[in-house]
Structure formats: C-alpha cells, structure tokens
Amino acid sequence: MQVFTLYEGSYSVAADKKFIPFNPQTDNPKDRPGSLFIHVNPFLVKHGDKLLLLDTGLGYSNSKGELIIHENIRRAGFNPEDVDYVLMSHLHFDHSGGMVHQKDDGMELSFPDATYVIQRGEWEGAFTNTSSSYRTEIFDFLQRNAQLAYVDETGDFLPGVKHILTGGHTPYHQAWLLEDSEDKVFFGGDVLPEPEELIKKFIAKYDYDGRKSMELREEFGQMAVAEHWNCLFYHGKSRATGFVELGAEGQFKLV
C-alpha cells in the first residue's frame, strides 16, 4: 500500500469559519487573535488496483486556477481522473470543500469519475445543520451531479477498506481503516487530527462530544500500538503520518 500526503497549506480560522492562509515563517499569530492555526493534509492511498482519496481539503486553487489538491495528486504521479473513491470522514468545509471546484461561473466536480463515500447520518444532518462549517450549496451540487455511496454504522465498504462510525467530532463522524497483506493504515479524521492529541488528554470545545473524542483517541492509540497502524493525521503540523509506540512511562509516542 502506498500513502501520499497532499498538503494543502497552513491556515488560521476564527469564529467566522473563514480559512485564511497563514505562513508560520512570515505571519505573526498575534495579528489574528482568537484564531486556530491548522495544517490541511488530505491523503491519497494506492490500495491494490484502487486509488483512494481520504477527505478533500478546502478546495482552494493555485495562482493558475488549478485546484491545489489536483496539483498535488499529479506530483504524486497520478491524475485526478484516476481516483476511484473519495472516502469522507465528515463534511465540515475544511474536509469537504475540495469535493467540488468552485469557479467564477459556477461549480464542477473535482473528481467526476470517482464515487464519494459518506456516512448516511452525516450527509442527512449536513443539510439541516445551521453551522457555517457546512456549505449546503456544495452538497446540493453533489446530490445532482456526483456518484454518491452512503454507508451506515461500521462495516467493510470494500475488501480491506473499513469505515468506523465514531461520532465524537460530529454525530456521524467516521474513521477509515485500510489494510492489505502487509500494511494497516488508519485515518482518524478529526477524532485524531494531530499526533500531539495522542499525548495530551483533553476535551476539545470544537467537538460535538469532546469526552467521547478523548476516549476514542486513547482507544485508537492502543489499537495502533497493538496492530502497528500507520496513522494519518489530517491536521498534523509536526508530522502527517507515523507509527505509534508506548514510551517507558506508558505514554504514546510517534515513530
């Protein structure tokens, strides 16, 4: 199994839910009070004869008007048209904006030949949720134009491709576990967005159920150690991927 990190950039986001590019080398965090600072890392996985995309980023374009995620897929040696399945953890804008390419004259599907795989409860809830984290105009366009596949609860979507209903970050957030004869790759979405969250035990205000997310991080960390998972961190700053071990004092550490 091959894993490629499709780094889309570093951003600050405040209460208005607008994602503003942020360069840690030149920009001062104090100029953006009340903001969170995040990296955005979708992932591309070559799994047997299938090409899988794990979340889609913000859908921002480069100076030439090309989607950054398309540019990164080409750098990895593939074409965007090669993507077979887009596996979504949830539908907040920083994970789902790249499902479409927004242009001055409208929208088009970013991956017209792919099937978008979404937890059914997350899809249904996104249309009625009043949070600005959800952009219903994107979902309306997908509903009319995209190949959609809905999954329920926890199960095997394809051989070696399991969706795990977690809740926590959103009521119907899901994680993905990919495996073949040699590797196990875990994508925790926003239940396990950064490696540091394995070490720090805290209840996050940005989660729907912060306590559940905290407990899930512990549970997934233990499983990652026992089963030698390669963990993918969507918002990882220090590192986007890594294996988990237990340190001398029983704390998780990334290797």
Side-chain angles (χ1 to χ4, degrees):
M1 200 170 352
Q2 293 176 286
V3 177
F4 306 88
T5 302
L6 307 177
Y7 172 64
E8 193 180 19
S10 178
Y11 301 88
S12 65
V13 56
D16 58 7
K17 304 297 183 182
K18 293 181 180 180
F19 289 81
I20 310 299
F22 177 82
N23 186 337
Q25 304 300 320
T26 59
D27 295 330
N28 188 345
K30 294 181 180 179
D31 294 335
R32 305 185 190 185
S35 294
L36 292 173
F37 299 90
I38 64 169
H39 282 36
V40 176
N41 300 299
F43 295 93
L44 190 69
V45 179
K46 187 71 171 68
H47 186 283
D49 63 348
K50 302 298 183 187
L51 194 62
L52 313 175
L53 178 64
L54 294 162
D55 286 353
T56 65
L58 290 156
Y60 286 179
S61 299
N62 60 24
S63 59
K64 298 179 181 178
E66 177 187 24
L67 281 172
I68 295 172
I69 196 168
H70 281 185
E71 178 184 22
N72 289 338
I73 288 172
R74 291 192 175 95
R75 285 179 177 173
F78 303 92
N79 292 313
E81 296 80 10
D82 297 334
V83 174
D84 295 294
Y85 294 98
V86 178
L87 308 180
M88 300 300 300
S89 65
H90 65 298
L91 295 175
H92 284 169
F93 178 66
D94 58 321
H95 293 253
S96 66
M99 295 196 294
V100 298
H101 189 186
Q102 300 196 53
K103 299 182 175 182
D104 292 338
D105 56 353
M107 289 185 191
E108 63 183 30
L109 290 173
S110 301
F111 305 97
D113 299 320
T115 298
Y116 294 76
V117 187
I118 304 166
Q119 184 73 214
R120 189 185 306 275
E122 179 73 11
W123 176 258
E124 293 173 351
F127 281 95
T128 58
N129 196 301
T130 58
S131 170
S132 58
S133 294
Y134 291 99
R135 308 291 172 87
T136 54
E137 67 273 14
I138 293 176
F139 312 140
D140 287 332
F141 184 83
L142 284 170
Q143 190 163 239
R144 295 192 304 269
N145 297 282
Q147 302 175 64
L148 299 171
Y150 306 113
V151 294
D152 296 290
E153 302 294 333
T154 295
D156 295 316
F157 178 69
L158 295 170
V161 179
K162 174 177 285 189
H163 54 93
I164 304 168
L165 178 61
T166 64
H169 184 63
T170 69
Y172 291 94
H173 180 284
Q174 65 185 356
W176 291 90
L177 181 63
L178 316 176
E179 56 183 301
D180 59 16
S181 59
E182 297 181 354
D183 302 308
K184 291 187 177 182
V185 173
F186 177 74
F187 177 62
D190 271 2
V191 164
L192 187 54
E194 298 184 60
E196 289 77 12
E197 294 194 9
L198 281 171
I199 301 169
K200 302 175 183 177
K201 295 183 179 181
F202 64 95
I203 296 174
K205 293 181 180 179
Y206 48 72
D207 285 329
Y208 170 76
D209 186 337
R211 181 169 295 280
K212 183 175 184 180
S213 289
M214 180 181 67
E215 293 168 350
L216 284 168
R217 288 193 288 273
E218 175 70 22
E219 179 182 335
F220 288 139
Q222 295 291 347
M223 294 175 71
V225 172
E227 300 183 13
H228 197 58
W229 290 354
N230 182 14
C231 295
L232 313 183
F233 302 102
Y234 190 83
H235 291 306
K237 299 183 184 72
S238 61
R239 187 174 296 182
T241 69
F243 295 89
V244 183
E245 291 183 353
L246 286 177
E249 297 181 359
Q251 287 188 321
F252 295 122
K253 64 177 182 178
L254 211 66
V255 297

